[in-house]
Amino acid sequence: RSTEEAMAATSAVPDGLGSVTPSLVVTPCAEAIEFYKTAFGAEEIEPRMTGPDGLVGHAEIRIAGSVVMLGDEWPEGPTRSPTSLGGSTSALFIYTDDVDAMWKRAIDAGAEVVFPLENQFYGDRGGRVRDPFGHTWGLGQHVEDVSDEEMERRMAAFYEQGSTE
């Protein structure tokens, strides 16, 4: 079978992945995977691709039904970890049916509170944590459907209080 025939018969998106799948640079990756298992109930779903230097070139985990790819930072690579950058440039959000339990597991596993877990004006109970590897995670549970009008009213009140979260 030719390359063209194989490409035509193959899905453009690999099985189990979404059209947009986050990929984290996290060092040390092997330790991060264990943290994500403990804190967020992650499941490692692909065999790790580990180089002769022991660095993880590629791994995949599933958290709450979503796949996250990850790998160690490597000197020749085009991306850096939050540790190297001195901060994270993005955040990942996990919605769960028991955010309080996940929050406790994350904190117990070593996550640092960025924004406390609270009921939010937009209908979620949520907060943000930073993992020991520098990545920021929003943890949330949708607890209330809020109409557009009520959202506008609550948002105005929120900003009047001087909150910037």
Side-chain angles (χ1 to χ4, degrees), residues 22 40 63-64 66 68 90-96 102 115 122 124-129 136-141:
F40 306 137
I63 301 173
S66 297
V68 177
S90 62
L92 296 172
F93 285 78
I94 302 172
Y95 279 94
T96 179
M102 182 176 280
F115 294 121
Y122 45 84
D124 288 356
R125 178 165 176 72
R128 289 194 191 193
V129 297
T136 301
W137 297 80
L139 306 181
Q141 179 176 352

Side-chain angles (χ1 to χ4, degrees), residues 49-160:
M49 295 180 198
T50 304
D53 54 6
L55 296 178
V56 176
H58 180 83
E60 293 180 14
I61 57 176
R62 182 176 291 119
I63 301 173
S66 297
V67 174
V68 177
M69 298 176 181
L70 34 111
D72 274 298
E73 178 178 296
W74 28 291
E76 309 82 35
T79 55
R80 299 284 176 249
S81 70
T83 305
S84 291
L85 293 174
S88 181
T89 62
S90 62
L92 296 172
F93 285 78
I94 302 172
Y95 279 94
T96 179
D97 59 4
D98 190 350
V99 70
D100 291 276
M102 182 176 280
W103 184 268
K104 182 178 181 344
R105 284 196 320 268
I107 299 304
D108 289 350
E112 170 191 350
V113 175
V114 175
F115 294 121
L117 180 65
E118 300 175 332
N119 289 338
Q120 305 296 333
F121 71 86
Y122 45 84
D124 288 356
R125 178 165 176 72
R128 289 194 191 193
V129 297
R130 183 175 300 108
D131 70 32
F133 313 95
H135 287 285
T136 301
W137 297 80
L139 306 181
Q141 179 176 352
H142 189 68
V143 294
E144 177 187 14
D145 292 327
V146 181
S147 70
D148 293 342
E149 297 79 22
E150 180 64 10
M151 181 77 71
E152 197 171 308
R153 187 193 68 70
R154 289 181 184 183
M155 188 167 54
F158 178 78
Y159 285 107
E160 281 177 17

